[in-house]
Amino acid sequence: MKRLLREWFWIPAPHEPERGRVARQWSGPLNLVLAAALTGIFLVWALQTSIANWDWAAVWEYRALFVSGWLMTLAISASTLAVSTFLGTGLAILRRSRFLPALGLAKLYVEVVRGTPLLVILLVGFYGVANAVGLHDRYIAGSLILSFFSAAYISEIIRGGLESVGATQLESARAAGFTRWQTFRYVTLPLATRNILPALTGQFALLIKDSSLLSVISVSEFTMNAQQVASRTFGTLESYLPLAAGYLLITLPISAAARTLERALQYES
Amino acid sequence: MTLEFNRLTKRFGEHVVLDAISAQIPSCSALALLGPSGGGKSTLLRIIAGLLISEKGSLCLNGILVPNREGELLHYRRAIGTVFQAFNLFPHLTALENIALPLRLAHGMSKVEAQAAAFALLERFRLTEHAHKKPGALSGGQKQRVAIARAASAKPKLLLFDEPTSALDPEMTAEVLDLIGELRAEGRDIIIVTHEVGFARSVADRVIFLADRKIMESSTAERFFSAPQTAEAAAFLERILKY
């Protein structure tokens, strides 16, 4: 009995004997299912009053609002991911620049943006900056402001990754006669990418969820639409559970893709 | 090759590593840089390799002034092969790609040509079975042989070695030294920083003995090993040959 418990619920320490093949292969999935079941039981217990009288019919009426909001969030997320990664890379490069004014500007930008609430940046950005430059489309303006906000965080992640590439690798690239661009493209970038990926995936998830704040400038994205449905139907849980599922539907595939990419870039150093 | 240093000075911060060294090395084909640790051997080799730029003074290789601007050094470096103590292979590339990539990027070969040339080299160095392994899966000796193949791939006239065997066990040291001897026999000039005095003695025809930021001695290998002129060199040889 004791052995069986050890086999299925413990990963042996490096000095301990290996487990059998079946347990090695299936203990992971088994425990995942167990964890999911426990979580489910807890949720049902915690929400029992709501569940007792929930009403999906009212919410189903508004399914189009969910779909359009989800699609909007997906579009905002996709464009923001691309733009903020691009901006973040640029900022990270400036942050490592040996040209002092550029370095100072990048440092200041990162510090100020990271220390300011997104809500303030959105409001100032939209009613101030975007107005001043004549950008009135709230969807484009909102995505751009979110990109600039997230770029500050992403630049720090990328900078860490770039700095993790050893001096010996860079010397080796110079000795091989690579130009600075070739060194970046063929040595620094692939080596840094692997080190950046885990932190970047987390930042992407935050970014996707942060897009819900765009509702303060009246962008009718997923969260805002769900709020509307909730206030019209009085079905709070029935509106917000699909909301959670909808966000997971975007973030989980990104995590999975990042893990695949991480494995592809695997090497021993 | 011929080498000429003229009041060459290199500092790292406040720390002077080479203090206005001057020397003229008449025609030779294998130069060994010897001396105690911290004497500036690796720094001098990196200046010759075009990887470091000196603060003062100049360096002539084969009668031509070595440039002291990064832009010009790029072309200078492409004509030289450098091998490092810690192998410095790119960890994300296979042995084959480690050799082929520089051929493609720095020497204008097409992808197919570069791969073929790299494969031929691996074959010659008896590394064919390891062509598709990444450095993490190779032994120290194999890594260093791949690194030497990479440095020799573009057929440079001059090959530089910075303590190529210091990170290897004796058996692997032998296979790497054999390889360097082969390249030397092929007619390539080499400059080597090494603690393998026995190897230096058998392969080199000139020696520079560096200690305490200065060139203490610059002479033929024969004279250096049989009759060192300075007390420092004599003491160094005695210490190192004791065991």
Side-chain angles (χ1 to χ4, degrees):
Chain A
M1 185 61 193
K2 207 174 161 193
R3 201 179 139 257
L4 209 66
L5 285 177
R6 268 179 55 93
E7 284 261 300
W8 286 93
F9 296 109
W10 289 92
I11 296 171
H15 64 271
E16 285 174 344
E18 262 299 348
R19 295 175 292 172
R21 202 172 55 83
V22 183
R24 240 184 6 244
Q25 213 165 16
W26 292 102
S27 62
L30 172 81
N31 282 285
L32 203 64
V33 170
L34 276 177
L38 280 175
T39 312
I41 290 168
F42 172 75
L43 279 178
V44 169
W45 171 78
L47 304 173
Q48 50 191 318
T49 34
S50 318
I51 290 172
N53 42 35
W54 71 10
D55 172 22
W56 288 97
V59 171
W60 180 246
E61 292 286 307
Y62 291 98
R63 58 194 180 276
L65 214 49
F66 277 108
V67 172
S68 70
W70 187 80
L71 287 174
M72 178 53 66
T73 288
L74 187 67
I76 292 170
S77 301
S79 59
T80 309
L81 283 191
V83 175
S84 65
T85 306
F86 178 75
L87 290 174
T89 309
L91 261 177
I93 290 171
L94 285 187
R95 193 71 179 67
R96 279 165 57 84
S97 164
R98 287 179 287 118
F99 180 53
L100 288 167
L103 173 65
L105 204 65
K107 262 188 185 170
L108 187 73
Y109 180 84
V110 169
E111 288 307 326
V112 169
V113 170
R114 287 206 308 179
T116 312
L118 175 56
L119 187 64
V120 177
I121 292 179
L122 269 174
L123 293 172
V124 171
F126 184 64
Y127 294 108
V129 183
N131 244 338
V133 299
L135 179 61
H136 298 298
D137 185 317
R138 54 186 70 248
Y139 295 96
I140 293 176
S143 301
L144 271 178
I145 297 167
L146 195 56
S147 302
F148 272 96
F149 171 77
S150 190
Y153 291 85
I154 289 179
S155 78
E156 285 294 275
I157 294 173
I158 292 178
R159 182 171 72 98
L162 294 178
E163 278 168 10
S164 73
V165 176
T168 56
Q169 298 304 323
L170 301 180
E171 184 172 55
S172 190
R174 290 175 69 224
F178 291 5
T179 62
R180 288 181 60 175
W181 164 248
Q182 288 171 338
T183 304
F184 180 76
R185 163 69 185 80
Y186 292 97
V187 182
T188 311
L189 196 63
L191 289 176
T193 303
R194 195 195 66 146
N195 295 338
I196 288 170
L197 271 177
L200 200 59
T201 320
Q203 182 58 37
F204 281 172
L206 281 178
L207 172 60
I208 289 161
K209 292 182 293 177
D210 278 350
S211 72
S212 63
L213 260 183
L214 290 183
S215 54
V216 299
I217 55 167
S218 309
V219 169
S220 63
E221 44 67 63
F222 201 26
T223 304
M224 188 180 175
N225 287 9
Q227 270 167 346
Q228 275 177 14
V229 175
S231 61
R232 282 186 216 173
T233 61
F234 303 108
T236 314
L237 202 64
E238 296 90 323
S239 305
Y240 289 141
L241 281 182
L243 183 65
Y247 278 107
L248 282 172
L249 207 59
I250 305 178
T251 53
L252 288 182
I254 292 180
S255 300
R259 264 200 302 278
T260 312
L261 192 56
E262 240 174 276
R263 264 198 300 276
L265 293 171
Q266 203 63 46
Y267 61 84
E268 279 175 71
S269 47
Chain B
M1 81 186 130
T2 63
L3 264 179
E4 194 182 329
F5 312 110
N6 194 3
R7 299 195 58 75
L8 204 58
T9 300
K10 182 69 203 171
R11 280 185 292 131
F12 292 119
E14 291 303 303
H15 184 57
V16 178
V17 187
L18 293 173
D19 191 4
I21 60 167
S22 298
Q24 269 196 316
I25 319 293
S27 186
C28 70
S29 56
L31 169 68
L33 301 180
L34 301 178
S37 299
K41 306 178 300 279
S42 291
T43 303
L44 183 57
L45 192 84
R46 278 177 164 72
I47 292 175
I48 299 171
L51 291 169
L52 280 178
I53 300 172
S54 60
E55 267 78 40
K56 282 196 206 123
S58 62
L59 159 67
C60 287
L61 175 64
N62 296 327
I64 297 163
L65 189 69
V66 174
N68 57 6
R69 292 220 327 269
E70 182 65 23
E72 298 164 42
L73 277 172
L74 180 68
H75 295 281
Y76 171 79
R77 284 196 297 259
R78 286 178 175 173
I80 290 177
T82 307
V83 176
F84 300 94
Q85 175 179 359
F87 326 128
N88 292 16
L89 293 175
F90 300 123
H92 59 303
L93 300 179
T94 63
L96 187 74
E97 292 164 339
N98 258 289
I99 301 170
L101 189 67
L103 289 176
R104 195 153 65 85
L105 297 185
H107 301 282
M109 285 194 190
S110 72
K111 196 167 185 172
V112 179
E113 284 173 327
Q115 296 254 344
F119 204 79
L121 263 172
L122 288 174
E123 205 161 25
R124 210 199 110 187
F125 288 1
R126 295 170 296 277
L127 290 161
T128 317
E129 57 181 313
H130 308 298
H132 298 290
K133 290 183 191 164
K134 290 186 180 171
L138 298 175
S139 74
Q142 288 160 350
K143 276 188 252 199
Q144 195 58 300
R145 275 151 65 209
V146 173
I148 293 172
R150 178 173 69 175
S153 63
K155 304 208 185 329
K157 283 288 258 298
L158 176 60
L159 279 167
L160 307 179
F161 297 90
D162 183 18
E163 302 191 20
T165 60
S166 295
L168 300 176
D169 63 36
E171 196 182 345
M172 291 169 173
T173 297
E175 71 188 22
V176 165
L177 292 181
D178 282 347
L179 195 54
I180 297 173
E182 260 178 59
L183 288 167
R184 157 101 162 87
E186 218 174 65
R188 276 185 236 277
D189 290 341
I190 69 171
I191 299 179
I192 183 167
V193 172
T194 185
H195 294 296
E196 300 285 336
V197 173
F199 176 72
R201 189 172 195 165
S202 72
V203 79
D205 52 4
R206 286 290 301 197
V207 170
I208 288 180
F209 179 73
L210 278 157
D212 199 19
R213 303 169 293 170
K214 292 269 188 207
I215 292 184
M216 291 279 177
E217 213 166 323
S218 162
S219 66
T220 63
E222 211 178 64
R223 202 165 74 123
F224 178 80
F225 288 112
S226 56
Q229 301 296 299
T230 55
E232 286 88 350
F236 172 77
L237 283 176
E238 193 181 329
R239 262 200 316 279
I240 222 159
L241 295 172
K242 194 168 168 191
Y243 297 107

